[in-house]
Amino acid sequence: MTTNDAKPMTRQISVKTEKLTRRFGKFTAVDRVSIEVYQGEIFGFLGANGAGKTTMIRMLCGLLAPSEGSGSVAGYDIYRQSEAIKRRIGYMSQKFSLYDDLTISENIEFYGGVYGLSRALIRERKEALIRQVGLEAFADKLTRELPLGFKQRLALGCALLHDPPIIFLDEPTSGVDPEARRSFWDLIYQTVALGKTVFVTTHFMDEAEYCHRVSIMREGKLIALDTPAKLKQHYGKSNMQDVFVALVKE
Amino acid sequence: MNAIEIKEFHKSYGTVEAVRGVSLEVKRGELFGLIGPDGAGKTTLLRAICTLLLPDRGSILVDGLDTTREVARIRSILGYMPQRFSLYQDLSVEQNLRFFADLFQVPEKERERRLEQLYHFSRLAPFKKRLAGALSGGMKQKLALSCALIHTPAILVLDEPTYGVDPVSRQEFWDILRLIREEGASILVSTAYMDEADLCDRVALFFRGRIAGVGAPEALKDRYRYPLYRLEAKDVRRLRDFFRSLPEVQSTQLFGDALHVSFKRPPDSRQWSEWQAASSGNLTTWSPQPPSIEDVFLALIGGEADGGESI
Amino acid sequence: MPHSRLLSIARKEFLHIIRDPRTLMIIFIMPVIQLVMFGYALNMEIQRVDLAVVDYDRTLHSRRLVEQFQGSKFFHVFGYEGPLSEAEKLFLTRKARVILAIPADFGKTWQRSVSAPVQILVDASDPNAATIIRNYCNQVIQLFNQRYGGQIPLPFEVRSAIWFNPDMKSTYFFVPGILALLLVMISALLTSITISREKELGTMEQILVSPVRPYEIILGKVIPYVFLAFMDGALILLIGIFLFEVPFIGSLPLLALLTTLYIITALSLGLMISTIARTQQVAMMIAVIATLLPTVMLSGFIFPIASMPELLQWLSYIIPAKYYLVIVRGIMLKGNTISQLLNQVFFLGAMSLVLLTVSWRKFSVNLEK
């Protein structure tokens, strides 16, 4: 990957964990995971349902306390400074984070308000967001009437409303068609182009190709971390699906 | 006679047309894939095949039997694995299997042999006593499949059996499906994973209640009209903007640090060097990229899904 | 600007309420239905009781006695010609609930000795009603005695007076009861459901990753329901006062103030429930068990606390509605002032404090548990 190396990359760390572990009773959902995510990067977290991706993301967002290990997000400690972290991250989960019984406009205003943005700022960003997602004619429609693809792009927009430097996306493309998925990824590329860091989980192995670097999780453990190209090259496979299988059988 | 024959099937829920006129044939002994995103209408179609829903219009024949009239006979020759894990989480693996054996009245004599067989290829034998709720995702799916197979159905219908399952378990699952096909069963399986199309004998690409294309996966890919290239660059985003503006370009898609570009006509080497110069050296490498089923899918639905989705 | 965050949550909650007209209808129609049910259908006053007269005497005196009964609006009097031995059939066929048997020598005895026995048979298959009917009969006979006999003055006279509800109207009882019931239901039930609904939908997760503080979430969610509960309370009071003519003697501001206290207690209970319940269904079940049943059964709303078994009497001490009922009845019917209700205020206040402290601590800003 000469292109990657040639690119001037500010190697500022956005997210860092060291032997981060989370147990639920006897079950270890995340087992000593250490990663470093750089600013401006799309960092993919791959794995099946139950591999520990969601637990990992929840610990980083301050929704779950780790059992062991250490971690920092935007330079703040995940144990002690979750308030500071919450102000600097955007989060969008696989379950829908928009209110179906609110209009598009009301949803945006609500999220703006929750982050304590001023009215003027909310109005300004709301208009920009509605334009970006292409929903000008539908601002006063109830969100439940929107197709899934639009909802997901809108949810991402809401998560970005307070202009956070780091965005966590938990299986954001679950269930949408390829067209909507690609336009969602276009939005992610636009976001990193602004210098933001995107941390994304997915169980679609082919989505790994969209990421700059991927880490693969299985049964709570990190089993690989590299660029998709290097992983494919290393295992001599043509796609990430086969890389995963090769990794497990290794 | 085909295993499943669908003619002009329509089904609406209120004002929502879930399936809008689908005609399809699943041949005997075939592993047939119904590929499409969520909300395409896959589950509706599969439920109708399993006599759980009635068509608004059109007809479905399973093994030559009409789904609206021969419900009992169809159910005895059909195995169905629903989308949601629909087994009893508080019963053990063995108890679940025996319950379904009772339900389908599998004769005592055959029962033990069939169970052994199912344990063998699902590799669930060591977990007989484990509660279904305590199985991993992949094992749950194998158990659900075993339950659907308990009465040795001639036709098997599976609704997104590999959704969210670990790639290794997914591969194992498809291996099992191929084994079942070797035994002579006909299989119809739905999936939202485009890449699973390659594992089927034939597939139907399903989108918004309609079929966008049917055929063997390789044949579908051969029909892809737009030469596809994988490009690398110093600044891939700038390169994308550059190619987007060209009239020869059909579509562009970022893949991490690479760019996929499909052209309306195959570009020649003169054009490549022109582009390299025009992008002031930004373009570094290019190589033909075989289209994936996803590319085919996108091209086929192109007209319909213009600009993402319509409201 | 934490205040705008709180307001955003409150505003959104209002929108949810408005967008769900079915729930809104239930909230405002339920009290009306309940009031009408209790006010008319489940009236505990007994009126026009069928009374069969078996008159063997047929004199002026016996006729006067029958007239006395006819004159009372409690009874619907009709004659029965058959033998008294078969009068039981009147009870079995529910043609009569009381039988007045006047013996053949009633008139003569009356004239001779001032007192003459008559027989009154009451159908006691409903013991409460039977007691009331017997009392009515005694009243009628007493009036008869006063009118036609009673030359001998008694050394003293027992006169019972019924205060605060001279007509013994049961609506006086039920309006405060329904007020107590609906306020607790809206406050506790709806609050716990709205929080568990967000947990179920996954939207709570989205709010929790923002810098919102727990008190902002809690207050923001609770404010719209306080408002709603107040509106509902006002509706019940208006219907009670204007439709059922329940008097309002005391101070309205005092009632509003103490109602706020009661609502806070109920909301704290709702919050408590929401910290335990993860789904709407569980929240609903716990809330019904914790609010609806105790308020109806144990607060003194329908069954007097004094006549309950001792264990239930003890249990009634932790039912907020018990205290609120005393407050509402006291202010509305008796014109109580705050100094007479300090006991109730203390109990409600203490209960709120305990519940709030516990739920505050248990309401987590993360997804643990």
Side-chain angles (χ1 to χ4, degrees):
Chain A
M1 281 301 291
T2 48
T3 51
N4 193 32
D5 296 342
K7 206 163 64 177
M9 202 158 188
T10 43
R11 304 243 108 187
Q12 199 186 335
I13 293 171
S14 287
V15 178
K16 182 183 166 77
T17 68
E18 217 159 306
K19 293 183 180 157
L20 201 62
T21 302
R22 170 69 203 210
R23 279 182 285 269
F24 295 100
K26 273 192 229 159
F27 173 69
T28 306
V30 172
D31 194 359
R32 286 164 291 161
V33 171
S34 305
I35 52 164
E36 278 180 2
V37 182
Y38 303 108
Q39 194 227 320
E41 184 175 43
I42 303 176
F43 189 85
F45 234 70
L46 265 71
N49 289 348
K53 307 185 302 283
T54 297
T55 307
M56 184 73 188
I57 227 169
R58 285 179 173 174
M59 282 193 283
L60 295 176
C61 292
L63 289 173
L64 280 176
S67 308
E68 266 168 47
S70 64
S72 70
V73 174
Y76 295 95
D77 185 80
I78 57 169
Y79 285 92
R80 290 188 311 273
Q81 296 169 299
S82 67
E83 284 299 313
I85 292 175
K86 282 177 176 182
R87 248 176 303 236
R88 286 166 185 81
I89 58 167
Y91 172 79
M92 175 192 158
S93 80
Q94 54 189 343
K95 278 215 213 165
F96 262 121
S97 41
L98 298 172
Y99 294 94
D100 265 351
D101 56 343
L102 263 54
T103 65
I104 289 151
S105 182
E106 285 162 353
N107 262 303
I108 300 173
E109 284 163 17
F110 170 67
Y111 282 113
V114 158
Y115 280 95
L117 304 184
S118 72
R119 262 162 209 269
L121 199 59
I122 292 175
R123 198 175 322 120
E124 181 192 315
R125 293 200 179 152
K126 180 175 84 180
E127 278 162 20
L129 171 58
I130 288 176
R131 224 178 306 122
Q132 186 187 19
V133 187
L135 287 171
E136 289 97 330
F138 304 95
D140 294 320
K141 275 249 165 50
L142 289 186
T143 308
R144 76 161 65 91
E145 294 166 23
L146 283 185
L148 197 61
F150 274 107
K151 277 193 202 172
Q152 274 163 328
R153 272 176 282 164
L154 186 63
L156 176 62
C158 286
L160 289 170
L161 217 56
H162 59 294
D163 201 20
I166 303 169
I167 300 108
F168 290 93
L169 306 171
D170 192 9
E171 306 222 340
T173 56
S174 252
V176 299
D177 63 73
E179 183 80 43
R181 191 163 74 153
R182 288 195 172 180
S183 43
F184 189 87
W185 274 95
D186 272 349
L187 222 53
I188 296 180
Y189 284 119
Q190 284 173 32
T191 309
V192 289
L194 299 171
K196 296 181 189 301
T197 309
V198 175
F199 192 106
V200 58
T201 72
T202 178
H203 62 81
F204 290 96
M205 290 296 141
D206 53 350
E207 244 174 18
E209 310 278 355
Y210 293 105
C211 303
H212 294 127
R213 284 194 307 150
V214 293
S215 56
I216 300 179
M217 276 189 93
R218 187 166 197 258
E219 289 165 9
K221 290 191 181 69
L222 193 71
I223 56 173
L225 198 172
D226 213 328
T227 65
K230 276 189 187 154
L231 285 171
K232 284 190 285 185
Q233 194 186 354
H234 184 267
Y235 290 96
K237 302 290 179 193
S238 63
N239 63 53
M240 288 304 291
Q241 173 88 17
D242 294 343
V243 168
F244 186 101
V245 174
L247 264 164
V248 170
K249 296 206 166 143
E250 203 172 48
Chain B
M1 196 182 2
N2 288 316
I4 301 171
E5 232 175 277
I6 305 167
K7 283 207 182 81
E8 274 305 305
F9 174 80
H10 284 260
K11 182 76 189 177
S12 304
Y13 300 103
T15 55
V16 182
E17 282 185 277
V19 181
R20 306 185 286 172
V22 163
S23 299
L24 204 64
E25 285 162 11
V26 177
K27 300 198 177 85
R28 239 165 236 295
E30 185 172 49
L31 178 50
F32 191 97
L34 193 60
I35 319 276
D38 281 14
K42 303 191 297 290
T43 299
T44 301
L45 186 61
L46 295 189
R47 284 184 178 158
I49 292 169
C50 298
T51 71
L52 297 171
L53 288 174
L54 294 174
D56 292 343
R57 260 188 292 151
S59 67
I60 301 176
L61 301 180
V62 175
D63 201 29
L65 305 167
D66 190 315
T67 52
T68 56
R69 286 194 297 272
E70 311 264 11
V71 175
R73 281 178 66 195
I74 289 175
R75 287 186 185 176
S76 70
I77 55 165
L78 193 85
Y80 173 52
M81 181 176 158
Q83 193 171 20
R84 296 261 151 69
F85 182 66
S86 52
L87 301 175
Y88 301 96
Q89 313 251 2
D90 52 348
L91 294 186
S92 70
V93 168
E94 189 175 3
Q95 285 164 337
N96 266 299
L97 279 165
R98 287 189 186 275
F99 171 73
F100 280 92
D102 288 341
L103 215 59
F104 284 97
Q105 295 172 309
V106 179
E108 280 304 327
K109 266 204 219 151
E110 273 176 49
R111 182 173 299 198
E112 297 310 314
R113 215 194 56 222
R114 187 63 183 161
L115 283 177
E116 279 319 305
Q117 229 176 355
L118 291 172
Y119 283 139
H120 176 72
F121 69 48
S122 67
R123 298 192 202 137
L124 283 172
F127 309 103
K128 270 185 204 177
K129 303 286 174 212
R130 190 179 287 192
L131 294 187
L135 296 174
S136 75
M139 286 203 282
K140 274 184 189 168
Q141 294 309 85
K142 284 194 280 189
L143 174 59
L145 177 65
S146 302
C147 289
L149 287 170
I150 191 86
H151 58 299
T152 327
I155 297 164
L156 188 60
V157 176
L158 309 145
D159 196 359
E160 299 206 8
T162 53
Y163 187 81
V165 172
D166 172 318
V168 176
S169 306
R170 257 166 73 183
Q171 204 182 42
E172 277 176 22
F173 196 92
W174 280 94
D175 290 343
I176 297 174
L177 289 187
R178 273 191 287 262
L179 271 175
I180 300 164
R181 185 191 52 187
E182 301 311 315
E183 284 188 347
S186 318
I187 305 168
L188 174 60
V189 56
S190 78
T191 178
Y193 295 105
M194 296 284 149
D195 51 1
E196 285 186 344
D198 293 320
L199 304 167
C200 302
D201 298 330
R202 282 198 313 142
V203 295
L205 301 179
F206 206 41
F207 185 64
R208 289 198 194 155
R210 287 212 180 97
I211 287 174
V214 187
E218 288 314 313
L220 281 173
K221 286 183 198 167
D222 288 343
R223 269 161 54 193
Y224 187 72
R225 289 170 291 162
Y226 310 109
L228 189 65
Y229 282 83
R230 179 184 173 88
L231 279 53
E232 285 171 11
K234 290 174 190 141
D235 183 343
V236 76
R237 284 186 203 105
R238 244 184 42 229
L239 190 73
R240 184 189 198 189
D241 294 339
F242 171 74
F243 272 96
R244 258 184 175 171
S245 63
L246 295 178
E248 299 92 324
V249 168
Q250 169 67 22
S251 71
T252 61
Q253 180 64 39
L254 283 169
F255 276 85
D257 289 321
L259 180 68
H260 285 194
V261 180
S262 60
F263 296 92
K264 288 174 181 146
R265 283 175 302 279
D268 51 38
S269 53
R270 187 182 51 85
Q271 275 171 303
W272 279 117
S273 33
E274 259 175 40
W275 290 332
Q276 206 171 11
S279 71
S280 38
N282 188 15
L283 175 63
T284 51
T285 62
W286 60 90
S287 55
Q289 171 77 21
S292 66
I293 281 287
E294 185 172 294
D295 294 314
V296 176
F297 187 94
L298 285 170
L300 284 171
I301 66 169
E304 183 149 16
D306 209 16
E309 288 169 60
S310 59
I311 298 174
Chain C
M1 293 219 296
H3 280 289
S4 81
R5 292 201 297 238
L6 194 157
L7 286 180
S8 297
I9 292 175
R11 205 176 86 88
K12 174 197 73 95
E13 210 59 35
F14 257 117
L15 290 171
H16 286 316
I17 295 169
I18 293 165
R19 295 284 150 75
D20 185 9
R22 264 185 309 175
T23 307
L24 204 61
M25 289 261 284
I26 290 170
I27 289 170
F28 284 103
I29 287 175
M30 192 165 61
V32 177
I33 292 173
Q34 285 189 335
L35 278 172
V36 169
M37 256 171 56
F38 283 122
Y40 293 117
L42 298 178
N43 204 324
M44 275 166 84
E45 298 158 42
I46 296 168
Q47 281 175 336
R48 293 193 58 79
V49 174
D50 290 315
L51 180 139
V53 177
V54 186
D55 186 357
Y56 292 117
D57 189 42
R58 293 177 187 277
T59 60
L60 174 71
H61 299 290
S62 72
R63 235 174 296 131
R64 276 185 179 155
L65 181 61
V66 173
E67 274 166 20
Q68 192 71 46
F69 272 95
Q70 278 169 336
S72 155
K73 66 170 175 161
F74 296 128
F75 296 107
H76 167 247
V77 180
F78 64 95
Y80 176 69
E81 303 296 333
L84 188 59
S85 55
E86 284 178 26
E88 191 192 298
K89 279 187 184 157
L90 291 170
F91 289 155
L92 294 177
T93 55
R94 294 191 65 83
K95 283 205 178 102
R97 295 175 78 180
V98 205
I99 298 168
L100 171 69
I102 307 172
D105 54 353
F106 174 75
K108 276 185 209 160
T109 323
W110 174 261
Q111 276 175 314
R112 252 184 321 192
S113 66
V114 194
S115 83
V118 292
Q119 192 179 17
I120 288 171
L121 303 165
V122 182
D123 174 4
S125 53
D126 177 350
N128 286 331
T131 312
I132 296 168
I133 292 169
R134 211 182 64 197
N135 288 338
Y136 285 152
C137 289
N138 285 340
Q139 268 181 38
V140 173
I141 289 168
Q142 216 181 342
L143 286 170
F144 176 81
N145 283 336
Q146 278 170 16
R147 205 161 148 193
Y148 301 107
Q151 289 96 330
I152 306 164
L154 288 166
F156 61 86
E157 199 180 352
V158 180
R159 273 199 193 168
S160 52
I162 300 165
W163 283 12
F164 308 123
N165 187 359
D167 304 329
M168 299 267 280
K169 284 203 174 153
S170 53
T171 41
Y172 288 22
F173 234 65
F174 288 127
V175 169
I178 288 168
L179 195 60
L181 179 64
L182 281 161
L183 290 183
V184 84
M185 275 186 58
I186 292 172
S187 312
L189 209 148
L190 294 185
T191 327
S192 62
I193 287 177
T194 169
I195 293 177
S196 50
R197 181 178 61 189
E198 293 223 31
K199 285 192 204 167
E200 215 175 315
L201 285 176
T203 42
M204 190 55 101
E205 215 172 305
Q206 187 74 44
I207 298 177
L208 291 179
V209 292
S210 74
V212 168
R213 296 182 179 279
Y215 83 88
E216 291 170 330
I217 300 179
I218 290 173
L219 284 184
K221 283 197 147 286
V222 147
I223 287 169
Y225 288 99
V226 175
F227 186 74
L228 210 61
F230 248 99
M231 300 256 290
D232 223 19
L235 177 73
I236 296 165
L237 271 185
L238 285 176
I239 294 176
I241 292 168
F242 290 104
L243 200 66
F244 293 103
E245 294 171 340
V246 179
F248 194 103
I249 297 168
S251 145
L252 188 63
L254 180 63
L255 184 64
L257 187 76
L258 298 187
T259 299
T260 314
L261 178 62
Y262 177 60
I263 290 175
I264 291 171
T265 317
L267 287 171
S268 326
L269 187 64
L271 284 176
M272 242 311 254
I273 295 167
S274 76
T275 58
I276 307 166
R278 285 173 144 252
T279 63
Q280 293 183 69
Q281 211 186 352
V282 174
M284 183 114 82
M285 259 174 51
I286 301 178
V288 166
I289 291 168
T291 65
L292 187 66
L293 292 177
T295 304
V296 173
M297 313 298 284
L298 298 177
S299 68
F301 171 16
I302 293 177
F303 307 107
I305 294 172
S307 65
M308 285 176 194
E310 205 172 340
L311 180 73
L312 292 185
Q313 287 198 27
W314 280 105
L315 210 61
S316 77
Y317 278 98
I318 56 161
I319 312 296
K322 170 191 161 128
Y323 306 103
Y324 185 63
L325 272 177
V326 175
I327 292 172
V328 182
R329 285 174 181 161
I331 295 175
M332 281 184 77
L333 305 177
K334 299 193 236 176
N336 277 169
T337 56
I338 181 81
S339 58
Q340 289 154 317
L341 297 168
L342 284 178
N343 211 357
Q344 281 69 31
V345 171
F346 170 76
F347 269 102
L348 283 182
M351 225 179 281
S352 311
L353 207 65
V354 171
L355 287 171
L356 267 183
T357 319
V358 174
S359 44
W360 215 261
R361 290 201 161 182
K362 288 198 83 179
F363 187 92
S364 50
V365 275
N366 54 39
L367 299 169
E368 302 290 339
K369 283 178 297 172

